Amino acid sequence: MPPNLIEPDAATASSHVGMGSIPFAGGTTFRTWAPFASAIAVAFYDRPDQAPGDPTSLAWMAHEEKGYWSVDVPGIVPDQLYRFRIVNRDTGHVFSKIDPYARQVTNSVGLGIVREREFAWTDDGFRMADYNSLVIYELHLGTFDDDPGDRPGTLKRAAERLGQLAELGINCIHLMPPNEFATEMSWGFNVALPFAIEESYGGVVELKKFVDRAHALGIAVITDCVFNHFGPGDLIASLWQFDGWQERGQGGIYFYNDARGLTDWGPRPDFGRHEVRQFIRDYAMFLLGECHCDGLRIDSTCNVWGFDNGKGWNPEGYGLLRWISDEVRHFHKYPKHKILIAEDWHNDGWVTRPTPADGAGMDAEWHWFVHEARHNLIAPFDESRDMQGLARALYARFNDDAFKRVIYTESHDESGNDENLARKIDRDDPDSWSARKRTTLGAALMFTAPGIPMLWQGQEIHWTGRFTDQVPLDWSRRDRFPGTFQLYQDLCHLRRNWHDQTRGLRGQHLNCHLADDHSKVIAYHRWDEGGPGDDVVIILNFSNRTWEDFDLGLPRGGRWSCRFSSDWSGYSPDFGNHGGHPVEATAQPKHGMDYQGRFALAPYSALIYSQD
């Protein structure tokens, strides 16, 4: 047996608060929850390749109330390697486990690393933009900036490209799950250790550096938060049967041990057990608090409040979502500048209803807008495009708030589980004129529709590869498609009203005054308070037809100036540069409006107009 730094009969419970390893002046506190243990020691290691069953020394822990154990170990400082050595009270079997609260690990089946929790933040003045001004950019750290055949991309490399995203004009990054997972390459949804930031990405300190750098550039950071399931890979090193107890061969104290624990992706946590609920709550608050993240995208909430994608009802899971929402509102200094986004797909408004109204209290959720948009962009024949369906997608909202939905034409789901949008449009040549015209038409639709717009990594450089965790983005495509980058940049600026000419794109109001299935043209009026610089009219031509004199109703008389034409040849030399001239509105009613103007429309193109 290795020597004892603290003997079993000499251990005393710690007076320091917190779970996991908590460094203090002169040592480190360790605390864990293991209600079916008869004894626990902290096992220390000198080398990362040291076998978990062969520690260098032990420090035995003292039993606290309700199954908690703790000890203060003098002389233990950050970077120390450790595990918990747990003796099951019923069988006497010894289990070596990674600390569930470990902030960093050598790998998902390796050793925990004591890590300091303080960080020299420089972001005191940063506040995330209001929801109606957000433009989100979803990225996957492993493929966002990497070399083919190399190890996965890292937080450090991604941080070095943040300036390019600031140049693009986005103001919020959505990180796919950065938490420790099995293997080095993954989408990230197979979370093995929620508090540990993936070792191959660089660990928790690099995440904090990334967030701090993003904030310095005016960019908020939200991250996926996955707790509808954990694992399944590598759970045995930590959460799975943590203290040796289990029923029916299932996961033990952190999981349901009956049919409720079974999912297609990994075991479901026990949302009814207080200590597990606290663990998940602490996971969310770790990201929002210690790591300074500005929000969470909570994965598959219908498998938290329900079973089998929401076909059953789990009040314990629903209560957990409500608790997390209330915790964010009550305990964060600037709750209006944190955002909780649900991936739910039931789209019935309950998850975004406030908790006092019996809702789950989320701020927004991913919306079915994506399906209607992609259907109309992908359809091979113009006659198959459905302008009435697009109009319904434009009007859809949750709880009478346009900005309680996140809208997009591409995400990791579509690009990874289905196919890249450009490739769906033209499988033989996804760089073709048709693919570029229709993907940029979709971009204009997304940026001008009511909701919070979200880009998927690479859309701004016309990336056409299918998303896998093995294939990195090819950033040389920015040089090949510089106009596409500028097009997305211009749309970001218009959406955020950079030039004080398109304030209405941040407003709640919408009038889709034309959705014509004969011409395949849809037009809508967006506004906040109305008037010059506020009233915005968007015209989208979903057909291959060119119009020289398309008459359209307008909300006000006088001159209307074009702020954006997706057919501008500056975006691509093979675009036609058709339309985009100023339009004089005359006092002739049309499409339910008091005025009308005559526009030139290019094939598969978008126009955005407003008044000075």
Side-chain angles (χ1 to χ4, degrees), residues 427-445:
R427 187 171 299 278
D428 295 329
D429 184 7
D431 291 335
S432 68
W433 176 89
S434 179
R436 286 181 287 112
K437 288 291 288 184
R438 279 149 66 183
T439 55
T440 53
L441 176 62
L445 170 67

Side-chain angles (χ1 to χ4, degrees), residues 233-548:
D234 291 353
L235 286 180
I236 196 169
S238 181
L239 296 176
W240 186 262
Q241 299 178 6
F242 181 69
D243 61 4
W245 176 84
Q246 53 81 24
E247 290 181 343
R248 303 177 185 88
Q250 294 198 46
I253 59 173
Y254 279 94
F255 302 96
Y256 287 118
N257 285 258
D258 53 26
R260 294 173 295 174
L262 306 177
T263 80
D264 291 337
W265 309 281
R268 180 181 282 112
D270 186 346
F271 302 134
R273 193 187 287 261
H274 170 74
E275 294 83 359
V276 179
R277 292 163 63 87
Q278 185 72 48
F279 177 70
I280 293 170
R281 175 266 183 203
D282 291 349
Y283 162 36
M285 296 303 161
F286 158 72
L287 293 169
L288 294 173
E290 183 177 328
C291 296
H292 284 210
C293 291
D294 303 285
L296 305 174
R297 182 262 197 189
I298 300 180
D299 181 61
S300 192
T301 50
C302 61
N303 284 296
V304 177
W305 60 256
F307 305 103
D308 193 17
N309 296 315
K311 294 177 182 176
W313 171 246
N314 185 349
E316 296 169 346
Y318 193 68
L320 175 61
L321 292 172
R322 288 165 49 82
W323 184 37
I324 290 173
S325 297
D326 286 339
E327 289 281 281
V328 173
R329 303 291 168 262
H330 295 159
F331 291 98
H332 277 277
K333 186 177 180 182
Y334 301 99
K336 290 185 179 179
H337 293 272
K338 301 286 185 182
I339 188 168
L340 299 178
I341 300 172
E343 184 210 26
D344 197 81
W345 296 122
H346 282 250
N347 286 173
D348 55 13
W350 277 102
V351 296
T352 52
R353 189 170 295 181
T355 56
D358 297 326
M362 303 288 111
D363 299 298
E365 65 177 291
W366 280 20
H367 192 261
W368 55 263
F369 173 96
V370 59
H371 305 306
E372 192 66 46
R374 285 174 70 89
H375 164 74
N376 283 285
L377 294 166
I378 292 168
F381 304 109
D382 288 349
E383 53 265 32
S384 301
R385 307 189 206 285
D386 179 9
M387 299 302 100
Q388 296 299 318
L390 276 180
R392 288 191 294 272
L394 287 169
Y395 277 113
R397 58 182 62 195
F398 298 124
N399 302 303
D400 298 320
D401 188 339
F403 301 101
K404 284 189 174 293
R405 67 175 190 165
V406 175
I407 57 175
Y408 52 94
T409 62
E410 193 101 78
S411 76
H412 70 272
D413 274 330
E414 286 72 34
S415 185
N417 292 322
D418 184 9
E419 186 61 272
N420 174 278
L421 179 59
R423 199 168 290 276
K424 292 283 283 190
I425 292 170
D426 189 338
R427 187 171 299 278
D428 295 329
D429 184 7
D431 291 335
S432 68
W433 176 89
S434 179
R436 286 181 287 112
K437 288 291 288 184
R438 279 149 66 183
T439 55
T440 53
L441 176 62
L445 170 67
M446 175 190 73
F447 275 103
T448 58
I452 300 173
M454 183 182 77
L455 287 75
W456 166 239
Q457 65 177 25
Q459 283 188 284
E460 75 278 18
I461 57 172
H462 194 64
W463 172 245
T464 61
R466 183 171 184 168
F467 170 57
T468 79
D469 51 33
Q470 307 285 324
V471 181
L473 290 182
D474 178 3
W475 285 103
S476 69
R477 290 179 70 86
R478 179 174 177 180
D479 296 329
R480 184 178 172 191
F481 297 103
T484 301
F485 185 92
Q486 184 178 349
L487 180 146
Y488 277 87
Q489 182 184 57
D490 289 346
L491 286 171
C492 285
H493 292 170
L494 290 167
R495 176 62 181 76
R496 295 175 60 190
N497 192 34
W498 271 33
H499 308 297
D500 201 28
Q501 297 171 331
T502 50
R503 190 166 55 254
L505 295 181
R506 301 190 306 187
Q508 290 280 353
H509 304 298
L510 167 77
N511 177 19
C512 183
H513 57 295
L514 177 68
D516 184 12
D517 277 316
H518 175 70
S519 65
K520 302 302 178 184
V521 173
I522 187 167
Y524 44 100
H525 171 208
R526 294 284 314 280
W527 74 99
D528 182 19
E529 296 178 353
D534 190 306
D535 287 306
V536 182
V537 172
I538 301 96
I539 312 164
L540 306 177
N541 181 9
F542 274 80
S543 79
N544 199 22
R545 177 178 176 180
T546 299
W547 297 84
E548 299 294 343

Side-chain angles (χ1 to χ4, degrees), residues 139-147 150-162 165 173 175-178 181 184-186 197-211 213 457 469 472-473 475:
L139 70 84
H140 174 254
L141 286 164
T143 56
F144 176 67
D145 190 5
D146 185 23
D147 295 321
D150 198 1
R151 293 189 70 203
T154 64
L155 284 153
K156 182 177 181 180
R157 289 188 64 159
E160 292 169 354
R161 206 172 278 277
L162 285 173
L165 296 185
I173 290 169
L175 294 178
M176 288 177 66
F181 47 73
E184 286 192 338
M185 294 185 177
S186 170
I197 302 305
E198 170 59 31
E199 178 273 335
S200 64
Y201 291 164
V204 67
V205 175
E206 289 300 325
L207 175 62
K208 293 175 181 179
K209 290 179 181 178
F210 179 91
V211 173
R213 175 60 180 155
Q457 65 177 25
D469 51 33
L473 290 182
W475 285 103

Side-chain angles (χ1 to χ4, degrees), residues 6 16 22-30 71-78 114:
I6 298 177
H16 297 283
I22 310 107
F24 61 86
T28 298
T29 294
F30 295 88
V71 68
D72 292 335
V73 187
I76 298 298
V77 298
V114 175

